[in-house]
Amino acid sequence: MLYIVLSGSIHGVEVEEHSSGERVIFLFPSASASQVASGWSAAAFSSFNFLGKSSCKSVSQAHAVEAMAEPAYTIPVFRQRTADETEEYQRVSTNVEKGLAVIQEELHRIRIATKAQVETLAIQKEVKDMMKKRPEFLDDIPKMPDFLVALRPHTVWEKTLVKLFCTVEGNPRPIVKWYKGGLPVDPLSTPGKYKIEDKYGVHSLIISRCVVSDTAEYSAVATNQHGTATSAAKVTVKRPAGAGEPSYLGLVPHLTEIHASKLEVTLLDRFPVSFGVEGGFIKLTCTMVVVPDLPNVPPLAQWYRDDKLLKPSSLAEMSVGGGAASLVLPHLAKDDEGLYTLRIFTKDGTAEHSAYLFVSDAARSKAGAPGAPMSIKAYDINSDYVLVAWKPPNTVNEAPITGYFVDRCEAGSDTWIQCNDSPVKVCKYPVHGLKVGHSYHFRVRAVNRDGIGRPSRESGKVTALDPEESARLQVIKIDGKYDIVIKDDDLEGYVTIPSEPTDVHASEIFKSFIVLSWKPPSPRGRAPLWYVIEKCLAGTGAWQRINTAVKLHSPRYPVYDLQDGQKYQFRVYSVNMYGSSEPSMPSEPVQKVDADGVPSAPGQVVASRNTKSSVFVQWDSPKHQKNLMGYYIDGRAVGSKDWFPCNNKPFKHTRFVVHGLIPGETYVFRVQAANLFGLSDESQESSPISVEPALATPSAPFGITMLSCDGSSMTLAWKSPKHCGGSKVNAYYLDKRDADALVWKEINLEAVTERICTVDNLKEGTFYEFRVTAGNMAGVGVPSAPSLPMKCEAWTMEEPGPAFDLSFSEVRSHSLVLLWKAPVYTGASDVTGYFVDMAKKGSSEFVTMNQEAVSRRYLQVTGLEEGETYVFRVRAVNAKGVGKPSQLSEPVCARPLPGTKEIVAGVDEETGDIYLSLEACEICETSKFVWSKNYKPIGDCPRVSVTKKGRTSRLTFNTPDKDDLGRYSVFVTDTDGVSSSHTLTEDALNTMLELSHAIRHPIVPLKHGLNYEVLEKGHVRFWLQAVKLSPSVSYRFIVNDKEVTSGEGNKISHDVASGIIQMTVENFTRASEGTYTVQISDGKAKTQSSLVLVGEVFKVALKEAEFQKKEHIRKQGPHFSEYLYFTVTEDCTVLLACKVANVKKDTSFHWFKDDDEIIPDTPPNVMSGACALPLSQFSRKDHGIYKAVLSDDRGKDTSVFDISGKVFDDIINAIAQIAGVSASDLVLQCTPEGIRLQCYMTYYTEEMKTIWKHKESKIASSEKMRVGGTAEMAWMQICDPSDKEKGSYAIEISDGVKTHTRTFDLSGQAYTAAYEEYQRLKAAAFAEKNRGRVVGGLPDVVTIMEHKSLSLTCTVWGEPTPEVTWFKNEQEVVSTEHTKTTFDGGKFASMVINKVTPEDSGKYSINVRNKYGGEFVEITVSVYRHGEQIPEPKLGQPKSAPVTPVPPKSPAPPSKTPTPAPSSKTPTPASTPASTPAPKSPTPPRSVKSPTPPRFMKSPTPPRK
């Protein structure tokens, strides 16, 4: 028996003999072994036919007989197989044996086909031989043109290429010309549009980039000398739904030149309609496939904005390469808005793509300010003058623009200078006073009543130059080699005074300004030239100069200060260094007026459907256009009052596509025209239009796949069209054909509504191709591409077939839900689960997302990368294994739709219904909300009901219970995948059930239940508060099961605004004990609240009522409205204060402490309503019980305040808080005893919680470290300091809440200086202690009668024993018989004057001194005669300040200091010799002793005991 096995393209033939003696012939076609195992492939057929064609019938029969007659075949060594190859061979052989019957039948059919082909080849050979014998003279027979292959009609999509072919014969060879609609086709008139070719007798017309206007009848006319023949065909160009924006007509740039290219370029991902903001950044990119892809030779790409070619610059960065062409706009402005076109030159012409870029205004710097102007350009450039023009911005909700400010900036500078002092009202402004040769940039700012807007984008660089300068040059060529440049000055001769200017006229006339222009003089001379302008009222002849302060160098000048309604004439003089010309001829009378004004309003506005997010708007031009710049289109959602701009740059045409609208929303539109005077009135509003796609037939389905086959039928599935055409796809039609046939046959006459269909009556073993066509209400679309050939062969594998219809739901940034349908073919057992595989787009590396098979037909995939694109496949599982993978899903990008919202669960406030609700971010007329539970469509279910309102769908649970728990999802059809899900949990359901019950069985909600409050006079108020009460509320109070009404002893009332219901019981006694209840009815809502007042609760209420009653009685006389309390003032004085009420003038007030009355310095004033007792320098001495008593004839009231325990601590803490805040930094003070750190504060007392620390260790008061303070400060003294005491010191003052810390670092230089000062003061103190001094005994003044004896005696002290010196009138007294001085025992010093005389009167003094210092004491002695009046004593006055003694290291020598002159108050005896020796030291006044250390050097104050 013969077996034929095909596996790949034929490389040879092998014949092997099996052990059974059977022979197998191996042909090697291109198909793989798996294809061989699964059946005959199309490649196998073609390979086998090829074998039949390559041999004649007799030869093939002879070879077949010879092969069958061979007894055996020995396998060569090079044909021997490895173990793996043997295993593969055995697997293939096994599969071949299984299909033996099928192969035999195929072999029989192939033999018949081979025989037919061999016979055909023989016939063809015979015909060829006969053709060779054809007489050659036939070529000379004349023949008129005849079309062997005529033109056929074409229907193509817009922007595609169409080729018209025809074949013509005739003798002589005809000439073919092409016509469109009867007019000749001229390829040169529109380069790149048409291409005419003639190759091998085949004539062709190629039309590139078809547009709708290319729809016409095309004809080919063939002509020779014997006649003419014509063939015609209709070409129809269609526009797909949503494609080919009508607004682009007139904006897509015309192709003006062809750039030859040998590259084939196909655009892939194209940039969409884009939206940017001023100051932002945007990148437009098209990816493409280039063949051949040469890295160093990228295709030529051009970018256009509207119809203008863009050049690379800092504002437009372009790049081509790496499979993409990009345009980056790094600094967006409204100037960048427009239609962007990418044109790439290819082998067949060009590849193009266009999309609009919208640029909106940036956030306003001030609310209500206008947007920025745009398109700033400079015209009429002269040496010191330029005319700046711009386009006005759109004003939608802002106030109208009142004017513009123009700014200039020199190139290279960042400083902008405002050119006009007041806003200019038109979109032009002449800038004057520029510097010749300097370059400038200009910008414009708009102004309205709310402020100044953002500046525009700056203009390009403008250089102020005289344009006439180049015109005054002549270039003469000599011999074609040399150029001679001659100035007009050289030809004019020697001219001094220039001639007058000519043609004086107004080149710009506006209400704001007039620009005068004239022609320069000729001849003008070589000297620098300037101009003088004069004006006069028309017809008066009274000329006056107008540019007195400005030298004009250019023949332009703006004039501003002209009166309204007056006509003026102007004339100009030419002036140079030699003088002035005659005046020019006067200009025509000129009046400043806005000649045109704004345009009239545009005409009727019509809006029509375009795509699901755009609307096509067109309108009629205004009747009076007046130099129209363009149009602004505004939109408004129906129901809203706010308009929004649809474009931000004037649009030139009367049709526009408004993008970025909300799908399903309804809008109206209006249009304004703009020119240099501003914006026109708004047009009438358009009719409302809903944002829906324009109706069209659907696009082609795709992805045809086989789900099952039983040998006579196939079950097919396919994917929905990518574009539904604006209406629901409701029909599918299938066609089939044999794989080797050309004619399609219809399968179904009646439409198939589902995307799955079983095709019957198929022939087993035959290969079929299928195609599907979709239809909607607009008609039937184009058919899909043919499927791959599918063999009608029964599936017998045990594993399940592929899952199908993969779809996505709830696509978010990092997750999505994948859904699929179960396989039609289940295999040997039921499907038990599924595996989901995922791969990034373009990758073949799939990752299984679930480790264990899932039984449900959906899977939530998480962990996605935002913005990344993925593909998925699903594999079904049964008991026999894992089946074939499904067809790959469509690529999906992990990015949610803009405005995506989630399902909301809630309870209806009116009905109490529990619902799930979704508001779709986009919708269209045909959209439906499909709700599912656990991703199974709910359909008509009695448990739920679905309603839709606008873009919101609500799923309401009719009888919610636990059976409704689960995951609910909703999908909105005919959108880009609007979907969401929500898991209803038991806790959430219970919460909503409680709320639903509360809504359906309403109660009056209470803020506060029934409560009581004790009022003045002992009245008790029972009250409750409801959240809300209506005016029709009713209620009743029940006490101990008896209703209580308002009457004597009870007052019942309510307040609707506050929701309070109350009852006041005036006489609350022991009989009032019991239960109190309030019952409320308010419409359908009811409630009640009870309060039980029994036992201890009642006793507390009764006690409080009785207390309030007593309080009421107390307050009938003088009483304390506020009892005693304390406050602490800023100076740390403690005030015991109280407030009194119901007092009169004779009401007395008394203070007591521990029952002892306190009489304050300021008597209390009860009429002021407040009394206070100050306690200054508060300390522990102020402990006690304070009492305030208030009384008069009406009664008496007492307030007691116990300052002890916690109250005392609170007062100390309050003092510490003020003291701590006021505490100064630690101050270093040295004393003779040591080094002291002092902290000054408002008040200090030892009861304050004060801690001293040294190096974070607490310091306890000791002999070494003494801690103390005064009322002004706290101090810590280091006695006899040493190096151990170096370091950081701190004082912490605690007020019970906060600790106030002050620190001082006693180390380094600070310690060294302090220690030296301490040693000095210690020495000074020792000297002060041991210096010589007068202890006592001397009077200040002595009055004595003459002739009596005077004895001045005193006790002195000093260690060592001091020296004593007596002086009279600052002259040392020498001991004589008359005046005798003695010093006994180093202790008693005396001076005795015997028999005093008036000459002995004077100022005496004693100087007691040792090495540590001394003391000077003065005595005034007055001697009077017997019988005279005793004189008034006069004390002597010192003449100079005492000198501070410094302890000497050795006994000091007598002082050399000059003796001061005697005081004028002290009599000086005339007999005092001039040669009196100087005293040992100056005489200080009596009260002056050795110096005392200043305040900061005082001895330490001992602490309080």
Side-chain angles (χ1 to χ4, degrees), residues 402-518:
T402 57
Y404 302 89
F405 283 116
V406 179
D407 304 330
R408 74 170 186 266
C409 172
E410 282 204 44
S413 170
D414 294 330
T415 304
W416 288 92
I417 300 172
Q418 185 172 301
C419 300
N420 49 325
D421 296 330
S422 59
V424 61
K425 298 183 182 299
V426 294
C427 294
K428 276 187 179 181
Y429 184 74
V431 179
H432 199 267
L434 305 180
K435 298 178 182 178
V436 180
H438 287 233
S439 297
Y440 297 88
H441 296 280
F442 298 92
R443 71 181 188 186
V444 183
R445 296 170 292 152
V447 184
N448 66 5
R449 70 186 182 194
D450 296 315
I452 302 176
R454 287 168 51 92
S456 67
R457 172 183 283 176
E458 66 182 39
S459 68
K461 187 166 64 173
V462 177
T463 303
L465 294 173
D466 185 1
E468 298 293 332
E469 191 66 30
S470 59
R472 291 174 54 79
L473 300 178
Q474 296 184 28
V475 179
I476 301 174
K477 292 184 177 293
I478 299 178
D479 297 333
K481 298 180 180 180
Y482 306 103
D483 292 344
I484 298 178
V485 179
I486 302 175
K487 288 186 177 182
D488 285 355
D489 300 342
D490 300 327
L491 303 177
E492 292 173 352
Y494 185 75
V495 177
T496 55
I497 297 177
S499 62
E500 69 276 4
T502 58
D503 190 21
V504 179
H505 65 282
S507 58
E508 304 285 343
I509 303 176
F510 297 103
K511 193 124 182 162
S512 304
F513 59 87
I514 289 175
V515 176
L516 291 178
S517 301
W518 58 90

Side-chain angles (χ1 to χ4, degrees), residues 811-1061:
V811 179
R812 301 296 185 263
S813 298
H814 304 288
S815 66
L816 57 80
V817 175
L818 176 67
L819 303 98
W820 61 89
K821 292 183 180 178
V824 173
Y825 179 81
T826 59
S829 61
D830 293 337
V831 174
T832 58
Y834 301 90
F835 287 107
V836 175
D837 302 331
M838 179 185 76
K840 292 185 177 180
K841 181 182 177 182
S843 172
S844 60
E845 298 179 1
F846 282 86
V847 178
T848 302
M849 304 308 296
N850 51 321
Q851 299 302 319
E852 297 182 359
V854 294
S855 57
R856 59 184 183 272
R857 293 197 300 277
Y858 67 90
L859 181 70
Q860 183 168 12
V861 181
T862 59
L864 305 180
E865 299 178 20
E866 184 174 5
E868 189 62 68
T869 303
Y870 300 88
V871 293
F872 295 85
R873 69 184 185 190
V874 178
R875 294 173 292 145
V877 182
N878 65 6
K880 297 299 182 179
V882 181
K884 297 172 61 177
S886 69
Q887 193 177 35
L888 287 182
S889 71
E890 284 296 290
V892 58
C893 180
R895 181 180 290 114
L897 293 173
T900 295
K901 296 183 179 180
E902 303 297 342
I903 291 177
V904 177
V907 180
D908 192 289
E909 295 182 354
E910 298 295 331
T911 63
D913 292 336
I914 297 175
Y915 65 85
L916 300 176
S917 174
L918 174 70
E919 181 182 356
C921 59
E922 66 175 68
I923 198 172
C924 66
E925 288 182 354
T926 60
S927 293
K928 291 185 178 180
F929 290 83
V930 180
W931 287 88
S932 303
K933 181 180 180 182
N934 298 327
Y935 295 98
K936 295 180 180 178
I938 293 176
D940 295 331
C941 177
R943 300 191 62 85
V944 297
S945 57
V946 178
T947 58
K948 174 187 174 185
K949 184 177 181 181
R951 292 189 294 155
T952 302
S953 177
R954 175 182 286 192
L955 177 77
T956 304
F957 297 94
N958 298 329
T959 56
D961 56 26
K962 291 184 179 179
D963 292 338
D964 293 314
L965 301 179
R967 183 167 184 169
Y968 290 84
S969 60
V970 60
F971 180 83
V972 186
T973 63
D974 296 332
T975 64
D976 281 342
V978 177
S979 55
S980 182
S981 67
H982 180 84
T983 302
L984 184 62
T985 62
E986 186 173 359
D987 291 342
L989 179 61
N990 291 337
T991 301
M992 289 189 290
L993 283 172
E994 293 177 2
L995 181 57
S996 175
H997 183 272
I999 294 173
R1000 292 176 175 176
H1001 304 87
I1003 61 172
V1004 178
L1006 299 179
K1007 282 187 179 180
H1008 302 284
L1010 188 60
N1011 209 334
Y1012 78 90
E1013 175 187 10
V1014 180
L1015 307 176
E1016 289 183 344
K1017 302 181 183 181
H1019 298 176
V1020 178
R1021 171 178 172 252
F1022 294 90
W1023 66 277
L1024 61 76
Q1025 186 177 13
V1027 174
K1028 183 180 181 182
L1029 290 179
S1030 71
S1032 60
V1033 65
S1034 62
Y1035 54 90
R1036 62 178 187 160
F1037 278 88
I1038 299 174
V1039 180
N1040 294 331
D1041 298 331
K1042 293 182 181 180
E1043 183 177 356
V1044 178
T1045 59
S1046 184
E1048 187 176 353
N1050 299 316
K1051 293 182 180 180
I1052 300 175
S1053 63
H1054 75 280
D1055 180 55
V1056 173
S1058 62
I1060 292 178
I1061 300 174

Side-chain angles (χ1 to χ4, degrees), residues 440-623:
Y440 297 88
H441 296 280
F442 298 92
R443 71 181 188 186
V444 183
R445 296 170 292 152
V447 184
N448 66 5
R449 70 186 182 194
D450 296 315
I452 302 176
R454 287 168 51 92
S456 67
R457 172 183 283 176
E458 66 182 39
S459 68
K461 187 166 64 173
V462 177
T463 303
L465 294 173
D466 185 1
E468 298 293 332
E469 191 66 30
S470 59
R472 291 174 54 79
L473 300 178
Q474 296 184 28
V475 179
I476 301 174
K477 292 184 177 293
I478 299 178
D479 297 333
K481 298 180 180 180
Y482 306 103
D483 292 344
I484 298 178
V485 179
I486 302 175
K487 288 186 177 182
D488 285 355
D489 300 342
D490 300 327
L491 303 177
E492 292 173 352
Y494 185 75
V495 177
T496 55
I497 297 177
S499 62
E500 69 276 4
T502 58
D503 190 21
V504 179
H505 65 282
S507 58
E508 304 285 343
I509 303 176
F510 297 103
K511 193 124 182 162
S512 304
F513 59 87
I514 289 175
V515 176
L516 291 178
S517 301
W518 58 90
K519 292 183 179 179
S522 179
R524 58 181 290 168
R526 301 184 181 185
L529 184 71
W530 65 92
Y531 301 98
V532 172
I533 305 174
E534 292 182 340
K535 72 175 180 180
C536 75
L537 287 174
T540 63
W543 296 96
Q544 64 182 56
R545 185 173 175 180
I546 61 175
N547 62 323
T548 55
V550 180
K551 262 190 176 183
L552 301 182
H553 296 284
S554 62
R556 302 288 187 275
Y557 185 69
V559 182
Y560 298 95
D561 52 347
L562 300 180
Q563 294 181 7
D564 293 337
Q566 297 289 341
K567 292 186 177 181
Y568 292 85
Q569 288 181 293
F570 300 89
R571 66 184 185 184
V572 184
Y573 294 84
S574 302
V575 184
N576 64 11
M577 59 185 293
Y578 298 107
S580 173
S581 72
E582 293 297 322
S584 68
M585 294 296 294
S587 69
E588 293 295 324
V590 178
Q591 180 180 352
K592 66 173 188 176
V593 63
D594 289 337
D596 294 332
V598 298
S600 58
Q604 182 182 8
V605 180
V606 178
S608 56
R609 291 167 58 168
N610 189 54
T611 69
K612 66 180 181 181
S613 62
S614 65
V615 167
F616 178 58
V617 181
Q618 53 187 346
W619 58 92
D620 294 333
S621 301
K623 293 181 179 179

